[in-house]
Amino acid sequence: MRSEGALILGIETSCDETAAAVTAGGRTVLSNVIASQIDVHKVFGGVVPEIASRHHLEAVNGIVSEALAQAGVGWDDLDAIAVTKGPGLVGAVLIGLATAKGLAFALGKPLVGVHHIRAHICAAYLEHEQLAPPFLALVVSGGHTSLVEVTAGAAGTQVRLLGATRDDAVGEAYDKVARVLGLGYPGGPEIDTLAKRGDPAAVSFKRTLLEDGSLDFSFSGIKTGVMNYVHTQKQADKPFHAADVAASFQQAVIDVLSEKTRLALEQTGHRRLVLCGGVAANSALRARMQKDCDGRDVTLFVPSPVYCTDNAAMVACAGYEAFQNGDFDNLELDAYAQLAL
Ligand code: KG4
Ligand code: ZN
């Protein structure tokens, strides 16, 4: 089977982005089309799963056609269809899955189910030709905060979870804090912008580091700290400066991410770090990680912001390896709300 430069169609519908992309040889992005539902969910202050599914259903066929058109690729040119199988909102994942299965069946092409978090990690390959395992990945998204070790094995890439959040994911904490501060959804980009005008040392929120040596995370304490601070100020009729709170919250989160990553690098000895997932679009986090890595002689690989937040190019990239290994799924492939790495 032809795999050099193989054309993979990726489909991603696990949350509130309907996305399709075509990559050649896994790493060359020929098209990357994303229809965001942010405006739809904004009025509710968060993603409403049922509404997300309906919008995926309405958008997905047009988005897939657009991805092929932009890539200048016909249906018969495709070598495989890769699709996010989970973790995610199961009704939303199902729409992408049904679309991919329909295409794979009608076109007689292989179907490859992709783990969403593996796809986020693979996003780093898209613009960094020189990146190869072994490396450490810090995945920071709306649903996950994980430290993952990526190594190359005989059967392809192996991933090992070193640590994960025990409560809120970091993106979730950003979104909740944004709501308390009266900012829009999604909160991450709003806090990113607002924090630039604030003092990160204005309020000291507790950095939760858990047991000595642990690579797990906990962000619920920082989130609750912000909520308590805002409520206390309001109750006492005292003014508070939202930009200062945003900057102080962000500083606390980044300090924890920085410290856990330092520890993971020390424990594993890796000299390459991938920062990925929606929160990796955060300007202060990117700057801090770069500074940390420069000081530790570690090379940092961060995707461009468009490949940090949900997209289908990363799904096609992750699907490429499975395609090369002949690791295909059949039409019984399920959608998963939770899925181990
Ligand atoms: O990876 P992603 O697009 O979806 C999931 O897999 O969850 O991540 C979405 C999360 C949201 O919580 C959003 O607020 C956050 O990423 N995010 C950011 C920024 N852009 C997106 N957080 C902080 N700063 C940003 N610039
Ligand atoms: Zn994601």
Side-chain angles (χ1 to χ4, degrees), residues 3-309:
S3 76
E4 189 80 4
L7 294 175
I8 314 287
L9 169 67
I11 300 176
E12 156 64 41
T13 62
S14 67
C15 191
D16 59 347
E17 260 93 34
T18 316
V22 178
T23 61
R27 297 191 181 200
T28 307
V29 182
L30 302 183
S31 65
N32 184 40
V33 183
I34 305 171
S36 171
Q37 300 178 8
I38 284 176
D39 289 343
V40 177
H41 299 287
K42 220 171 198 150
V43 282
F44 303 104
V47 178
V48 182
E50 173 64 20
I51 297 177
S53 303
R54 283 165 192 252
H55 278 80
H56 284 310
L57 191 56
E58 282 169 16
V60 71
N61 287 342
I63 295 299
V64 168
S65 299
E66 183 62 26
L68 265 81
Q70 285 189 18
V73 161
W75 297 109
D76 289 334
D77 299 328
L78 293 174
D79 290 290
I81 322 283
V83 62
T84 302
K85 62 181 174 183
L89 302 171
V90 82
V93 175
L94 271 172
I95 305 299
L97 216 56
T99 308
K101 286 181 186 178
L103 286 172
F105 179 70
L107 299 169
K109 309 280 182 187
L111 174 71
V112 180
V114 168
H115 192 293
H116 185 74
I117 298 306
R118 275 185 181 245
H120 269 303
I121 296 170
C122 286
Y125 289 130
L126 295 170
E127 298 161 296
H128 300 108
E129 196 60 41
Q130 72 280 29
L131 177 62
F135 58 81
L136 179 77
L138 173 64
V139 188
V140 279
S141 75
H144 294 81
T145 306
S146 313
L147 278 161
V148 180
E149 184 174 51
V150 181
T151 50
T157 304
Q158 321 268 301
V159 293
R160 189 164 70 95
L161 186 65
L162 303 177
T165 184
R166 294 186 187 170
D167 41 57
D168 291 357
V170 66
E172 202 179 340
Y174 264 95
D175 295 338
K176 286 180 183 162
V177 163
R179 204 179 310 174
V180 170
L181 294 177
L183 306 172
Y185 178 85
E190 301 262 344
I191 290 185
D192 193 351
T193 306
L194 185 62
K196 291 189 174 118
R197 305 203 307 266
D199 173 8
V203 192
S204 175
F205 295 116
K206 189 174 179 310
R207 279 79 169 144
T208 309
L209 292 173
L210 304 170
E211 313 81 51
D212 266 5
S214 169
L215 296 179
D216 281 348
F217 299 90
S218 168
F219 292 107
S220 70
I222 298 176
K223 176 196 70 184
T224 311
V226 176
M227 287 172 167
N228 289 344
Y229 174 81
V230 170
H231 291 154
T232 308
Q233 295 297 105
K234 279 184 179 167
Q235 267 173 358
D237 246 345
K238 283 193 202 154
F240 69 91
H241 195 226
D244 282 348
V245 178
S248 301
F249 157 75
Q250 182 165 275
Q251 188 61 52
V253 165
I254 292 177
D255 282 350
V256 171
L257 292 172
S258 164
E259 172 55 19
K260 293 286 174 175
T261 306
R262 182 198 67 74
L263 198 58
L265 288 167
E266 190 183 285
Q267 287 182 11
T268 59
H270 287 298
R271 317 275 356 130
R272 279 183 287 240
L273 174 69
V274 162
L275 172 66
C276 59
V279 182
N282 184 271
S283 55
L285 177 62
R286 295 166 81 94
R288 171 66 173 272
M289 284 290 165
Q290 189 60 63
K291 192 163 158 258
D292 285 356
C293 286
D294 290 347
R296 290 174 198 146
D297 196 23
V298 169
T299 310
L300 178 67
F301 299 87
V302 196
S304 297
V306 69
Y307 296 129
C308 288
T309 45

